[in-house]
Amino acid sequence: MIFLWAFLVGGLICVIGQLLMDVGGLTPAHTMSALVVSGAVLNGFGVYDRLIDFAGAGVTVPITSFGNSLVQGAMNEVEQNGIIGVLTGIFEVTSAGISAAIIFGFLASLVFKPKG
């Protein structure tokens, strides 16, 4: 049953993103930013953890999870190190994903001919 909920909730997040672009007229960059911010806001209100318990990978794989990770890392570091943890915590949790995006983007630019 968890697979069904993961599929449905993850699909709903994708549908929301597509509707933001098609109906709302947002660019892909604006849509991605809106989804990251919505994941951060949902974490701030304590809703995202309940969504993870309910749908598993359906909410941990989409881009909304990046916003969740940013806020979660910041909140954990604030508890340990005070207000400076806001700056250090957002990078501690997400550094592997950010590093992988930079490295694989660079490698792809070596293999393929970039435009522009």
Side-chain angles (χ1 to χ4, degrees):
M1 196 66 181
I2 187 72
F3 297 114
L4 176 65
W5 288 119
F7 176 77
L8 291 175
V9 173
L12 180 64
I13 292 170
C14 294
V15 166
I16 291 169
Q18 194 66 46
L19 286 173
L20 287 172
M21 289 188 289
D22 292 346
V23 176
L26 296 180
T27 65
H30 288 113
T31 301
M32 183 177 66
S33 298
L35 291 173
V36 169
V37 169
S38 67
V41 169
L42 288 174
N43 183 305
F45 286 119
V47 175
Y48 210 85
D49 288 335
R50 284 186 256 152
L51 278 173
I52 291 173
D53 293 338
F54 177 70
V59 290
T60 58
V61 173
I63 192 70
T64 52
S65 180
F66 185 70
N68 172 53
S69 297
L70 289 172
V71 172
Q72 192 66 39
M75 290 187 336
N76 290 341
E77 284 294 311
V78 165
E79 289 176 5
Q80 294 177 2
N81 300 326
I83 195 70
I84 194 69
V86 171
L87 300 175
T88 60
I90 61 174
F91 297 113
E92 187 173 315
V93 174
T94 59
S95 62
I98 294 170
S99 298
I102 293 169
I103 291 167
F104 289 124
F106 175 73
L107 292 175
S109 73
L110 293 177
V111 174
F112 301 102
K113 184 179 178 184
K115 296 180 182 179

